[in-house]
Amino acid sequence: MTEDRGIRQYIGDLVAEERRLRDELAGGEITASEENVRLRAIETELDQCWDLLRQRDAAREFGSDPDAASIRDAGTVEHYLD
């Protein structure tokens, strides 16, 4: 998942999964607790993907190799403003 297109595709897949989970909850197929656990994980993965895209954009802007960017751990991405 080092190309922007692949990252964006993965983001789309995660968004589709969010929608599916909401539909499953509405249909009584899963509990709210099950939905919440998976949604939290999806939100973290989305944050990591968007962060990776920002890193790649910044690398290009400053003449660096965007392929040198890497996914940061959840703690870094989720709490970098703290």
Side-chain angles (χ1 to χ4, degrees):
M1 186 171 59
T2 58
E3 292 185 10
D4 292 1
R5 184 177 1 176
I7 298 166
R8 291 182 190 284
Q9 176 62 50
Y10 189 62
I11 288 170
D13 294 345
L14 290 170
V15 170
E17 186 175 354
E18 282 181 322
R19 289 184 189 128
R20 182 184 55 76
L21 285 168
R22 290 191 172 102
D23 289 344
E24 288 178 3
L25 177 64
E29 298 170 47
I30 60 173
T31 66
S33 177
E34 291 169 321
E35 181 207 34
N36 287 333
V37 167
R38 184 60 189 136
L39 284 178
R40 274 188 249 120
I42 290 171
E43 289 170 4
T44 298
E45 288 182 74
L46 284 169
D47 289 345
Q48 288 174 305
C49 288
W50 287 115
D51 176 68
L52 179 57
L53 285 174
R54 285 189 296 272
Q55 287 181 62
R56 291 176 58 79
D57 287 344
R60 275 189 285 274
E61 181 178 343
F62 293 99
S64 298
D65 179 10
D67 291 335
S70 61
I71 295 176
R72 294 189 243 207
D73 66 274
T76 299
V77 173
E78 294 297 303
H79 303 290
Y80 72 91
L81 291 178
D82 292 347

